[in-house]
Amino acid sequence: MKRRGIFLALSILVFALIFATGTGTAEEKIAKIAVYGPMTGEHAEYGLGFRYATELQVEKWNKRGGAGGYKLEVIVFDDKNNGEEAATIAERVVEDLDVVGIIGSYVSGVSMAATPTFQEAGLVNISASASHPDFTSAGDYIFRNNTVISVEGASTVRGVDKVLGAKKIGLLSIMTDWGRATAAIMTKLIEDNPNLTLVIHEECTDGSDDYSTPIANFKAAGVDAVIIVGMHNTFVPFARQYRQQDPKIGLAAFANLYDDQVLKLGGEYVENTVFPVAYFNESDEPNIVEFRDAFHARAGKNPSSLSAQAYDAAGMICEAIEKTKSNDRAKIRDYVANINYDGVGGEIKFDSRGEAQKVFMVLQIKDGKFVKVD
Amino acid sequence: MSDLFQNANQAGNFWERAEMFFARRRLAVIALFVILLLGLPLIDTPSYVKRIYVLIMIYGTLALGLNLPTGYTGQVSLGNAAFFAIGAYTSALLVTKAEFGFFAALPFAALLAGVAGLMVGLPSLRLSGSYLSIVTLGFAEIVRMILANWQTVTNGPMGVKNIPRPFFFGLELSLRNNGAYYLILVILLFTALLCYVLVCSKIGRAFVAIKEDELAATMMGIKTVYYKVLAFVLSAAISGVAGAFYAHFMRYIDPNSFTFDTSILILSIVILGGMGTLRGMYLGAALLVSFPEVLRFLDRYRFVFYGLVLVLMMRFRPQGILGWQSKVPYRFPSGVRRDNIGTNLESIPLSDEKEPLMEVKNVVKRFGGLAAVSDVSFHVDRGEIVSIIGPNGAGKTTIFNILTGIYEIDGGEILFERGLIHNAKPQNIVKMGVSRTFQNIRLFPNMRVIENVLVGTHVNTRYGFFDAVFRTARFRREEAAKTEKAVKILKSIGLDYRMHDYAKNLPYGEQRKLEIARAIATDARLLLLDEPAAGMNPQESNNLLEFIRLLRDRGYTILLIEHDMNVVMNISDRIYVLDYGKLIAQGLPGEITKNPKVIEAYLGGVKEHAKHKRT
C-alpha cells in the first residue's frame, strides 16, 4: 500500500511538471542559449565562470523584455572536462531546436570532440577559452572569442617599447610546448620592431626557484628589460631575484599576470611591470562596472578575463536574436560572423576563420595596483 | 543419481533462479537479445541516446578485453587505456595521413596494440599482483607521454582532428544513419563470441587455473608464461579495435582522451559487472556509461551520487552485480553423454620383467649452506608402490619438488624411463608422465570439479589457439575425448556425483581425491602422492588405500610420502626412510619396522607418542 501511495504521488508530480512546462511554451516564444564546460571537478571554476557570465547576460536582456520577441533561457551542461561527455552534450543540444547558440567548453581538446556535431547540425558555438590553433577549423559555425598569442605578444612588445622605453631586450622562456612556441613568436615580434634589439634568449624550467644563471647572463649582456614567457610561478621569483640585484631592470609579461596573487607575492619587486590584457575589471566604463559588480554578487569574486569573454559571447548571440528577430540558426550564424560588437572586452569582430580580433590594452603595476597605461 | 543441481530451479536465490531460467532457453535468449539490439536504433530515439548506446558498446568491448587478463587470469591491469589509445591513434593516423580506409587500418590497429600488449605482458613473467599493476600503470603514462611529445607523428597535444567516419562500400557510417551503431554492435558481438569460445576451451581453463593457483597450474603442465602473455596480447588487440572505432566515431582524439580515468572506468566496469564473467561486462558497461547521463538532472551532485552508488554496490555485491558462481550444470561438448561413460580406468600396459621407471642417483640439493638432500639414491620400478617416510623436516617434500622440476639439483642425476629429467621445466616433466599432489591441497577452488580434472588433461590436449577460436573438428574431437576421460576418472574415484560443484565446496577427503584425479588426468605413469591420507578418517583412508591399489593394478606406479603408518605398512611394496636429508634405511615394510636405525630416528618416537595418546 505504501508503495502504491508513493507511485501515485510521483505520477501526479510528473503530470504536474508536464502540464506546467506545456502551458509555459504556449504563451511566449523561447530561445535558449546553452553553456557547457566543467561545472564539477578541478576545473569547475572556469565552467562556473562561463555559466554565471552567460546567465548574467541573459538576465540583462530578459529584464529589457527579451531579444527579438523571444524570451531567453540558459541551459547548462557539465562535461566534467571529458570529451565523450562533451560529444554527447553536443548531440543533445543540437536536437533541441529552441537552442540558438552554445558557449564553451573550457579545454580545446574537450571542445573539439563536440565541434563537428555543432558544425554538422549548424549551431553557432563560441568558445571563450580554446587555445588550439585549429579550433575554428571545424567549420563556419565555430567561433573563438579568445586571444591568439601573436596578438597578445604584440601588445607586450608595444608596452616594452612605449611604456618602459627599453632598447636592449632579454627573453626568458619556460621549457614547455607553450613556452617554446610563444618564445618563437616573441623573437619574431621583437625583431620586427625597429626600436628594439633582442640581445639574449634564455630558457628555464617551469616553476624553478633559482634564476641566478639566467640573471647573470642577462646582466652580462646589458639588457634594459626582460620579457618573461611563463606563468606567475616563474615570473614572481624571477622578478624578486633580479630586482634584488638590479632594482631598475624593466619587466614585461603576459595576460596571466592579471591576478591579485602577483601583487601579494611580488610586492615591491614587481613594480612597473607591464603586460597586456583584453579585459580590465578596474575600468570605469559603465558596462564593465555593471558586469563586474553583478558577477561579484553571484560568484563572490571578480570575473576572470575568460568569464568576461563568455559574457561577450553570450551577448553576441543575444544581439543576433534581437537584430534578426529570429531563432533561425543559419541567420544567427551570419549575423555573428559579421558582428561588430561592443563588449566588456572591447570592440570584437571575427575574421574569416571565426577568430576574434581583439584589441589589447597595456597594464602596469604601480604602487601595488594594476593601472591601465596604454 | 543424486545431482546437487537437479532441484536448482526451485532452490537458490533470485539470481541463480534467473540464470537457470535463461540457461534452459539459452539460444532463444541470445536470439532475443540480438534481435533487440538490432532493432533498438530503429525506434525513434534522440541521437544523443543513440550516442550513449554506442559508447556503452565501446566500453563493453573494452571491458571484455580487460576481463581476459584481469577477470580470468588474475592480472590486474591499470593501463588498458594505453592499448585503447594505440588502436585509436594507429587507425586515425593511417586514415588521415596515409589515406587508408577504416577497414584497412583496423587490422593494423589491432596488431600494433597487440604488440604493445606483448611488451606489457612480458614483465608479467617476473611480476605479479600489485607490482604488475604498477607496470601497466607506468606503461599507460609512457604511451600518453609519447603521444603528447612525438609531435611529428602524433601531432602532440594538438591531437588528430577531422578524422573521417568509416565508409562501408561508399556508405558513410554515422550516428544518424545508424551505421556507427551497427558497426560497433558487430565489433562487440565478434569480441563476445571470441571471448566465449576461448573461455570454453582449454585456453580459458588455463587462464582461470593460473589465477586460482599458478604453481598448481604449472604442475599440471600449463605453460603459464604463454597464457599470461596471451591474455595480455588478446586484451590489447581487442582494446585496439575498440580504439580504432572510437577515433572514427569521436572524430577528434588527443592524448587527454586516454587518461588514467579511462583505465579506471574500464576496470570499474569489469569489477562492478563481475570479474571473470562475460554477462557482467555488458551490464557493467551499460550502467557505468549511462549513469552520468541519466543522473544529469542532479546537476553538480551527480558525481557524488554516482560515487555513492558505486560504494553501495561494492558493499552489497562485492563479487560484482552478475558475479555469482554459476549453478547451471557444466555444459558437456555435444555428443558426450555422461551415462554412457564407464567407470573403469584404462590400464597402462606392463611388461613382465621388472624395470626401473624412475631412478634417482646421488642427488644433492643445498639451500645456502644447508644440505636439504644429500647423496640420496633410490629407484621406483614399474607397477610398484614405493613410500618415502621420515620425520618432519627430513627432506621428503624437497625430493618431490626436485622430481617435479620446482627445484634444480646441485648434484647427481634423475632418470625417468631411462632419460635424464633433472633440472627440466616442470611442464616438460609432467608431459613425460610424472604428476603429483600436494601436502597442503592445491586445487583450483573456484573451478568446478570436472574443470579441475580437465585442467589435468591440458598437457595432452592437442589443439591450439586457432582450433579453439574456430572450433575445428580437431577441437571438438579433443574436447569430447577429454571430457569423457575426465568423467571416467571421476566415476572411478567416486566423485562424479559432485562433478558440477566447485572444488572449494568439497569436504577435505574428497578434495584429496580430486587432487589425485587431476594428477591421473595428465596421463602420468608415475604419480607422486604427498601425504594423500592426511586429515582423513579411518574410513576415508581405507577407501583411499583401495583406490591406490586399484591404480597399481591398472599399471600406475606410485611414489608416496606418508605419515600414516597404517597406510604405509599396508600398501607399500618397498619403503625408503629419510632423516636429515639422508637415506638411513630401505627395504620391505617388515624389514623397516625392525630396523633399529629407523626405530630410533622415527618410528620409535611416533609409537611412544601414540601410546601416550591412547592411554
Side-chain angles (χ1 to χ4, degrees):
Chain A
M1 278 313 284
K2 226 177 193 175
R3 261 193 201 168
R4 192 171 288 177
I6 293 170
F7 180 73
L8 199 70
L10 271 177
S11 11
I12 290 172
L13 196 72
V14 167
F15 274 107
L17 277 174
I18 293 170
F19 200 64
T21 50
T23 49
T25 44
E27 279 173 16
E28 35 190 0
K29 293 194 286 180
I30 291 211
K32 293 179 187 167
I33 297 175
V35 53
Y36 80 119
M39 306 293 167
T40 54
E42 59 176 326
H43 299 296
E45 62 166 304
Y46 300 100
L48 292 172
F50 297 162
R51 173 188 182 157
Y52 297 143
T54 309
E55 285 172 350
L56 290 171
Q57 183 69 265
V58 163
E59 283 163 22
K60 192 176 88 180
W61 281 83
N62 277 342
K63 253 183 237 159
R64 290 190 233 147
Y70 291 85
K71 187 174 179 289
L72 304 178
E73 263 181 28
V74 179
I75 49 173
V76 183
F77 294 94
D78 174 21
D79 65 19
K80 71 180 210 298
N81 213 30
N82 174 309
E84 280 162 32
E85 289 224 1
T88 304
I89 289 166
E91 210 68 64
R92 197 163 167 168
V93 166
V94 299
E95 291 204 341
D96 183 346
L97 295 178
D98 289 335
V99 177
V100 292
I102 182 159
I103 292 156
S105 176
Y106 169 55
V107 170
S108 306
V110 173
S111 315
M112 287 168 79
T115 48
T117 306
F118 298 136
Q119 177 63 28
E120 278 185 12
L123 179 68
V124 167
N125 174 214
I126 307 177
S127 169
S129 56
S131 60
H132 192 295
D134 296 329
F135 174 74
T136 58
S137 74
D140 57 352
Y141 277 83
I142 312 302
F143 297 90
R144 161 160 47 200
N145 183 29
N146 190 22
T147 57
V148 197
I149 197 70
S150 55
V151 181
E152 186 178 338
S155 307
T156 301
V157 170
R158 192 172 83 230
V160 170
D161 180 13
K162 299 250 176 72
V163 181
L164 296 180
K167 302 284 176 229
K168 294 165 83 178
I169 310 298
L171 188 62
L172 177 75
S173 64
I174 54 173
M175 287 188 277
T176 64
D177 296 343
W178 178 82
R180 291 215 161 111
T182 306
I185 291 166
M186 294 311 291
T187 305
K188 177 129 198 341
L189 287 168
I190 297 166
E191 281 165 358
D192 289 350
N193 187 317
N195 298 335
L196 306 180
T197 330
L198 178 63
V199 288
I200 178 168
H201 176 199
E202 291 280 309
E203 284 195 311
C204 64
T205 49
D206 188 12
S208 158
D209 326 314
D210 179 19
Y211 296 93
S212 45
T213 314
I215 290 171
N217 293 340
F218 284 132
K219 287 175 79 173
V223 299
D224 305 328
V226 181
I227 296 175
I228 295 101
V229 180
M231 304 296 144
H232 58 64
N233 63 341
T234 302
F235 174 79
V236 173
F238 176 80
R240 180 186 294 272
Q241 288 168 29
Y242 208 134
R243 285 276 172 83
Q244 276 168 351
Q245 296 183 30
D246 177 6
K248 291 210 181 70
I249 186 74
L251 297 172
F254 293 85
N256 67 61
L257 283 204
Y258 185 43
D259 185 330
D260 288 343
Q261 286 290 323
V262 173
L263 301 179
K264 249 182 246 165
L265 297 172
E268 56 177 311
Y269 299 108
V270 297
E271 277 291 305
N272 298 323
T273 303
V274 292
F275 61 93
V277 288
Y279 169 77
F280 183 44
N281 273 320
E282 266 77 359
S283 163
D284 46 12
E285 285 179 43
N287 63 339
I288 294 178
V289 172
E290 182 197 352
F291 168 59
R292 183 192 66 207
D293 292 349
F295 192 97
H296 198 285
R298 180 150 311 180
K301 61 178 181 188
N302 278 340
S304 67
S305 60
L306 296 184
S307 300
Q309 288 166 8
Y311 185 73
D312 284 343
M316 285 185 261
I317 295 171
C318 292
E319 190 183 293
I321 302 168
E322 169 79 7
K323 290 286 159 61
T324 59
K325 300 209 182 315
S326 144
N327 63 353
D328 183 278
R329 290 174 176 178
K331 285 186 185 159
I332 301 286
R333 188 220 82 94
D334 291 343
Y335 186 86
V336 169
N338 299 306
I339 205 165
N340 210 335
Y341 184 78
D342 185 19
V344 295
E347 293 278 319
I348 302 165
K349 56 183 168 189
F350 292 105
D351 67 7
S352 60
R353 296 174 60 220
E355 301 283 0
Q357 302 300 298
K358 308 193 71 155
V359 183
F360 280 81
M361 57 195 111
V362 176
L363 295 192
Q364 189 166 30
I365 299 172
K366 282 183 177 168
D367 301 325
K369 280 190 182 134
F370 297 115
V371 180
K372 183 179 167 184
V373 289
D374 181 66
Chain B
M1 180 179 66
S2 73
D3 196 321
L4 190 74
F5 296 96
Q6 261 182 357
N7 297 326
N9 54 341
Q10 281 102 45
N13 62 25
F14 167 77
W15 303 98
E16 288 159 5
R17 284 204 310 262
E19 195 198 4
M20 189 63 78
F21 178 86
F22 286 126
R24 295 196 167 179
R25 296 157 185 83
R26 211 178 142 74
L27 278 178
V29 169
I30 291 174
L32 192 74
F33 263 104
V34 171
I35 290 169
L36 206 74
L37 287 172
L38 286 173
L40 196 58
L42 303 178
I43 305 166
D44 186 32
T45 31
S47 62
Y48 87 88
V49 176
K50 287 185 191 167
R51 190 174 186 98
I52 293 168
Y53 294 159
V54 171
L55 285 174
I56 288 172
M57 289 192 278
I58 293 173
Y59 279 95
T61 309
L62 287 167
L64 284 170
L66 178 61
N67 198 23
L68 289 176
T70 300
Y72 287 101
T73 323
Q75 311 175 87
V76 175
S77 163
L78 295 176
N80 260 40
F83 308 129
F84 187 36
I86 290 170
Y89 265 89
T90 306
S91 181
L93 293 173
L94 282 175
V95 171
T96 55
K97 292 197 175 173
E99 303 196 339
F100 273 59
F102 170 77
F103 292 97
L106 196 60
F108 290 95
L111 190 74
L112 217 68
V115 171
L118 189 67
M119 281 162 57
V120 182
L122 287 175
S124 72
L125 315 187
R126 295 185 172 276
L127 296 172
S128 59
S130 328
Y131 304 103
L132 177 67
S133 301
I134 299 297
V135 169
T136 60
L137 179 67
F139 178 78
E141 262 325 280
I142 292 169
V143 167
R144 212 163 64 82
M145 287 300 139
I146 291 173
L147 294 177
N149 290 298
W150 194 12
Q151 301 215 359
T152 47
V153 174
T154 65
N155 207 21
M158 301 296 174
V160 186
K161 63 182 166 49
N162 300 338
I163 305 166
R165 294 197 175 99
F167 277 86
F168 188 67
F169 292 111
L171 176 72
E172 186 178 26
L173 303 179
S174 73
L175 195 63
R176 274 163 219 290
N177 66 15
N178 293 330
Y181 178 93
Y182 287 115
L183 177 57
I184 186 65
L185 180 61
V186 169
I187 291 174
L188 176 71
L189 290 178
F190 266 107
T191 309
L193 199 63
L194 173 71
C195 291
Y196 176 77
V197 295
L198 283 177
V199 167
C200 301
S201 74
K202 72 166 187 179
I203 297 168
R205 292 193 293 267
F207 284 166
V208 180
I210 289 168
K211 176 169 87 170
E212 290 288 297
D213 190 329
E214 195 169 339
L215 178 67
T218 309
M219 287 297 130
M220 290 302 113
I222 291 173
K223 293 189 171 122
T224 51
V225 167
Y226 170 78
Y227 285 101
K228 284 160 83 175
V229 175
L230 178 69
F232 256 107
V233 170
L234 285 172
S235 169
I238 290 170
S239 307
V241 170
F245 175 83
Y246 180 85
H248 296 264
F249 174 68
M250 294 297 285
R251 308 187 63 201
Y252 171 79
I253 52 168
D254 71 0
N256 286 327
S257 316
F258 310 98
T259 57
F260 182 54
D261 292 356
T262 313
S263 296
I264 290 299
L265 176 59
I266 306 169
L267 185 62
S268 304
I269 291 171
V270 173
I271 293 171
L272 186 94
M275 283 173 113
T277 67
L278 295 177
R279 54 183 184 248
M281 302 306 108
Y282 317 123
L283 186 73
L287 286 181
L288 285 192
V289 176
S290 67
F291 248 47
E293 277 311 306
V294 173
L295 296 178
R296 199 169 273 290
F297 70 93
L298 290 172
D299 195 12
R300 70 189 71 174
Y301 300 106
R302 68 185 172 128
F303 279 94
V304 177
F305 190 76
Y306 181 83
L308 198 68
V309 168
L310 284 194
V311 170
L312 288 177
M313 280 181 177
M314 282 297 102
R315 165 65 185 77
F316 291 105
R317 284 196 75 78
Q319 72 276 47
I321 300 174
L322 300 184
W324 71 88
Q325 279 185 333
S326 175
K327 288 279 164 72
V328 176
Y330 181 79
R331 268 171 67 82
F332 287 146
S334 56
V336 178
R337 300 215 88 86
R338 176 177 164 181
D339 298 334
N340 299 347
I341 300 167
T343 57
N344 282 339
L345 285 174
E346 279 130 50
S347 299
I348 301 169
L350 272 179
S351 54
D352 288 340
E353 59 185 298
K354 262 191 158 187
E355 52 167 349
L357 184 65
M358 179 174 268
E359 288 171 278
V360 174
K361 294 179 182 167
N362 309 101
V363 161
V364 178
K365 173 70 194 169
R366 290 187 206 93
F367 292 111
L370 181 82
V373 174
S374 46
D375 202 24
V376 168
S377 303
F378 63 90
H379 67 98
V380 184
D381 291 340
R382 267 186 214 281
E384 259 191 326
I385 298 177
V386 174
S387 293
I388 300 178
I389 63 170
N392 280 333
K396 305 183 297 291
T397 297
T398 306
I399 287 188
F400 267 26
N401 287 342
I402 288 168
L403 296 181
T404 51
I406 297 177
Y407 294 152
E408 292 194 351
I409 55 173
D410 300 311
E413 54 186 29
I414 302 169
L415 289 98
F416 180 72
E417 293 182 333
R418 300 183 199 285
L420 288 174
I421 62 161
H422 58 265
N423 301 350
K425 278 190 182 156
Q427 288 95 337
N428 295 338
I429 294 177
V430 181
K431 196 148 195 171
M432 285 183 249
V434 181
S435 184
R436 71 175 289 185
T437 67
F438 294 88
Q439 185 177 353
N440 46 342
I441 304 173
R442 302 191 77 139
L443 287 168
F444 308 116
N446 293 305
M447 295 178 86
R448 294 165 190 270
V449 167
I450 185 158
E451 285 173 324
N452 269 274
V453 182
L454 283 170
V455 171
T457 66
H458 177 99
V459 68
N460 285 316
T461 302
R462 289 170 210 289
Y463 62 78
F465 179 75
F466 287 96
D467 294 309
V469 169
F470 296 105
R471 302 221 142 181
T472 59
R474 182 215 285 247
F475 166 85
R476 281 174 280 143
R477 197 173 57 234
E478 280 283 293
E479 276 293 297
K482 298 305 174 193
T483 309
E484 280 179 13
K485 178 178 174 163
V487 173
K488 183 177 283 183
I489 292 171
L490 285 172
K491 281 189 173 180
S492 72
I493 205 168
L495 276 178
D496 58 319
Y497 80 107
R498 304 210 65 163
M499 75 170 103
H500 298 295
D501 206 348
Y502 292 87
K504 66 176 178 188
N505 297 336
L506 298 187
Y508 191 79
E510 292 191 339
Q511 293 201 7
R512 286 253 173 237
K513 281 184 174 178
L514 178 56
E515 232 194 346
I516 297 172
R518 187 180 67 179
I520 294 170
T522 63
D523 292 334
R525 291 179 290 288
L526 175 62
L527 298 176
L528 311 182
L529 307 181
D530 200 343
E531 297 194 30
M536 285 187 174
N537 62 36
Q539 172 68 32
E540 284 176 326
S541 95
N542 275 334
N543 283 345
L544 184 77
L545 280 184
E546 266 171 49
F547 185 71
I548 292 175
R549 281 205 193 94
L550 174 80
L551 286 177
R552 195 241 331 253
D553 296 343
R554 296 257 178 259
Y556 287 89
T557 308
I558 287 148
L559 180 63
L560 204 67
I561 295 176
E562 190 51 78
H563 275 306
D564 188 330
M565 281 307 135
N566 181 37
V567 173
V568 173
M569 295 307 162
N570 274 319
I571 203 173
S572 308
D573 294 323
R574 288 187 298 118
I575 297 175
Y576 291 93
V577 186
L578 214 58
D579 195 16
Y580 292 111
K582 290 194 183 77
L583 216 51
I584 56 168
Q586 53 177 302
L588 303 172
E591 297 168 6
I592 292 296
T593 44
K594 290 171 199 145
N595 188 318
K597 265 194 193 166
V598 178
I599 293 167
E600 187 195 331
Y602 182 67
L603 288 176
V606 170
K607 278 193 170 168
E608 284 295 303
H609 183 68
K611 268 181 195 164
H612 271 286
K613 257 194 168 177
R614 283 199 196 102
T615 52

